[in-house]
Amino acid sequence: MIVQEPSKSTSGLTSVFENSAFMGHEQVVFCHDEETGLKAIIGVHSTVLGPALGGTRMWKYDNDAEALRDVLRLSRGMTYKASISGLNLGGGKAVIIGNSREDKTDEMMKKFGEFVNSLSGRYITAEDVGINTHDMEMVKMKTDHVTGIPESMGGSGDPSPVTAYGVFMGMKASAKYRWGNDDLAGKKVLVQGVGHVGETLVKHLTESGAKVMINDIHEDTLERIASTYGAQIVMDDIYDLDMDIYAPCALGATVNDETIGRLKAEVIAGAANNQLADEVRHGKMLREKNIVYAPDFLINAGGLINVYSEIAKYDRAEALRRTEDIYNTTLTILTDAETHGITTHAAALKLAEERVEKKRQQLKG
């Protein structure tokens, strides 16, 4: 069954169209396969600028409603990420419900590939949290609508290093805006979440002379990265730490009512999607506290730019050039926000929405 009706006994799923996160989505697909244990949701927010491209995340959500909310917010963010980066792509995302270290199998990923294929190119998948290039190889066996496959198979490989490079560029731009200099030497940076993207960001920061603190739910990963890069492991009360820059690189919504009042950082710049639990309220709170916030869908776009190179006619060098340009766009957004007296998130959203609306009007004409 390609599209499964959500269970009426599952909280939140019976009123998907009334969900505040739905926000104009074109299509939401619920995928279920008993044999492999696959439970997944694919969200297609917009195909105005092009096919909806966005990674697949595997996470052990507390419930199905939480997974739905996550995929809706993530797919919406991908629309704006593609738009603000000047890419001819729409926004989509997928989540697989489960523990990626324990539940994931090759057969599950192949079955997921069949569901992706059933959308006939409206949605193109890639890697995200809990998913790697091997998983994309399995998906590729069942559909051509996949990116982030190994270079040996003609793909662009793991997009996470390019994502990290874009975040690093956005962080440097934010530092220049805040302190008048983009030199990160001596800056105290907390990287929360040191998966593929977070680890590469730690590498860039260490090489630039920053004092790096790391936090993650996986102790083995923390120990390895601390040993490799000389980073300091921090576990408790991380939001109360003395830091210059907070870099959330795990799941979203860590910038919220509770944490904003505790954060001592002057800059927030990280790879996580949907960092603001409430885009409007928390954006305003950061502005009032004079914390520079680099909009997540702007500075974490490097991975999307990279995988786009698999379906567009430009090479890796061009992808890196576009990713490096995140520095200039970040400075523009931060300056525009100050000039117009709005939040940085609102300034970035305005720029992204204008491009989508312009294309929508052209299609109508």
Side-chain angles (χ1 to χ4, degrees), residues 237-283:
D237 302 321
I238 62 172
Y239 301 107
D240 301 312
L241 295 170
D242 179 28
M243 69 182 91
D244 298 301
I245 301 172
Y246 169 50
C249 295
L251 296 185
T254 63
V255 181
N256 52 52
D257 288 337
E258 190 225 344
T259 61
I260 291 175
R262 296 164 59 189
L263 274 173
K264 297 177 175 61
E266 293 187 54
V267 170
I268 297 177
N273 291 302
N274 302 316
Q275 294 167 25
L276 307 182
D278 185 296
E279 296 171 358
V280 177
R281 186 171 79 254
H282 296 134

Side-chain angles (χ1 to χ4, degrees), residues 202-222:
V202 169
K203 178 177 183 292
H204 287 305
L205 289 168
T206 302
E207 291 173 348
S208 67
K211 297 177 180 178
V212 183
M213 298 173 284
I214 55 175
N215 173 264
D216 197 277
I217 61 174
H218 300 298
E219 292 187 16
D220 56 337
T221 301
L222 285 172

Side-chain angles (χ1 to χ4, degrees), residues 210 240 292 299 320 339:
D240 301 312
V292 175
I299 71 169
L320 290 174
T339 300

Side-chain angles (χ1 to χ4, degrees), residues 31-322:
C31 317
H32 182 220
D33 181 67
E34 289 187 6
E35 185 175 346
T36 62
L38 174 71
K39 291 182 179 180
I41 309 174
I42 300 172
V44 176
H45 178 258
S46 173
T47 56
V48 173
L49 294 176
L53 194 156
T56 295
R57 167 175 297 183
M58 186 167 185
W59 191 258
K60 190 175 182 180
Y61 294 95
D62 290 337
N63 52 62
D64 295 350
E66 182 182 301
L68 173 63
R69 183 173 185 274
D70 200 28
V71 77
L72 291 176
R73 294 193 74 197
L74 289 168
S75 53
R76 174 176 174 260
M78 292 303 297
T79 295
Y80 301 135
K81 187 181 300 188
S83 177
I84 205 167
S85 302
L87 307 179
N88 295 322
L89 291 172
K93 206 79 172 183
V95 297
I96 297 175
I97 301 170
N99 186 318
S100 63
R101 292 191 171 194
E102 299 175 3
D103 303 329
K104 185 172 58 179
T105 65
D106 287 352
E107 293 307 310
M108 175 187 287
M109 296 310 301
K110 290 176 186 177
K111 179 57 66 173
F112 176 70
E114 292 179 13
F115 281 104
V116 171
N117 197 57
S118 73
L119 294 178
S120 303
R122 281 178 55 80
Y123 170 66
I124 302 172
T125 195
E127 299 169 47
D128 203 313
V129 176
I131 299 295
N132 55 42
T133 50
H134 173 76
D135 300 325
M136 289 299 101
E137 288 185 54
M138 298 300 102
V139 173
K140 176 69 173 175
M141 294 178 69
K142 298 297 182 176
T143 183
D144 289 330
H145 307 304
V146 55
T147 59
I149 57 176
E151 293 180 59
S152 60
M153 297 176 65
S156 60
D158 182 2
S160 59
V162 188
T163 301
Y165 182 59
V167 172
F168 184 60
M169 289 293 102
M171 186 182 292
K172 285 175 69 67
S174 301
K176 182 174 178 59
Y177 179 81
R178 164 56 73 218
W179 298 296
N181 192 317
D182 66 8
D183 185 4
L184 298 177
K187 298 298 184 188
K188 296 183 284 288
V189 184
L190 169 62
V191 179
Q192 181 194 43
V194 283
H196 295 305
V197 175
E199 179 176 354
T200 306
L201 181 60
V202 169
K203 178 177 183 292
H204 287 305
L205 289 168
T206 302
E207 291 173 348
S208 67
K211 297 177 180 178
V212 183
M213 298 173 284
I214 55 175
N215 173 264
D216 197 277
I217 61 174
H218 300 298
E219 292 187 16
D220 56 337
T221 301
L222 285 172
E223 294 291 346
R224 178 179 60 79
I225 293 176
S227 175
T228 302
Y229 302 103
Q232 176 189 355
I233 296 174
V234 293
M235 297 300 292
D236 301 318
D237 302 321
I238 62 172
Y239 301 107
D240 301 312
L241 295 170
D242 179 28
M243 69 182 91
D244 298 301
I245 301 172
Y246 169 50
C249 295
L251 296 185
T254 63
V255 181
N256 52 52
D257 288 337
E258 190 225 344
T259 61
I260 291 175
R262 296 164 59 189
L263 274 173
K264 297 177 175 61
E266 293 187 54
V267 170
I268 297 177
N273 291 302
N274 302 316
Q275 294 167 25
L276 307 182
D278 185 296
E279 296 171 358
V280 177
R281 186 171 79 254
H282 296 134
K284 289 180 178 178
M285 288 174 66
L286 292 178
R287 184 167 178 265
E288 290 168 358
K289 197 175 176 183
N290 200 28
I291 296 176
V292 175
Y293 170 63
D296 47 34
F297 64 83
L298 164 61
I299 71 169
N300 69 10
L304 179 62
I305 293 170
N306 185 65
V307 296
Y308 182 58
S309 67
E310 294 184 29
I311 59 176
K313 295 183 182 298
Y314 68 91
D315 58 21
R316 180 64 174 260
E318 174 65 8
L320 290 174
R321 186 200 65 75
R322 287 195 181 205

